[in-house]
Amino acid sequence: MAVEEVESGVGNAVGDVVEGAVETMAAKRYAVHPDYRLNVRSGPGTNYQLVKVLQYGARVPINCQTPGEWVTGPYGTTNLWDNIANGQFVSDAYVYTGSSGYVAERCA
């Protein structure tokens, strides 16, 4: 069981973020826990290449989800990884989806 390497802060540089999903005209986006700058990986595990780091208060689309490495975060322990863009994955343990299971289709 891994703990994804993220920066935790006491405050939120962007301001307070209400946890939960936000519906927009383009796509549904989900809030990353506001106390973390979340690592985005090239695949579903901490052993995959670091692509970028999301800022505090980030909201992400979930295009699909796939099982991968088990990670413990503020929203529990899970092996679900969320695909947020082509070749970009984040652990679902840091994304507030309101569910401990799939909220999007399984990645092909």
Side-chain angles (χ1 to χ4, degrees), residues 12 15-23 29-36 57-59 73-76 93-98:
N12 183 339
D16 292 336
V17 175
V18 176
E19 293 179 356
V22 174
E23 192 75 39
R29 292 186 167 264
Y30 297 86
V32 172
H33 192 283
D35 292 341
Y36 293 90
R59 292 181 181 277
Y75 299 119
Y94 290 88
V95 180
Y96 185 78
T97 62

Side-chain angles (χ1 to χ4, degrees), residues 40 52 54 60-64 82-86 88-90 95:
V40 178
K52 64 182 177 181
L54 299 177
V60 295
I62 298 178
N63 301 320
C64 61
D82 305 330
N83 173 269
I84 62 169
N86 188 24
Q88 297 183 20
F89 294 84
V90 296
V95 180

Side-chain angles (χ1 to χ4, degrees), residues 47-71:
N47 57 321
Y48 286 87
Q49 180 179 353
L50 180 65
V51 175
K52 64 182 177 181
V53 180
L54 299 177
Q55 295 300 314
Y56 293 111
R59 292 181 181 277
V60 295
I62 298 178
N63 301 320
C64 61
Q65 294 176 292
T66 190
E69 180 181 358
W70 286 91
V71 172

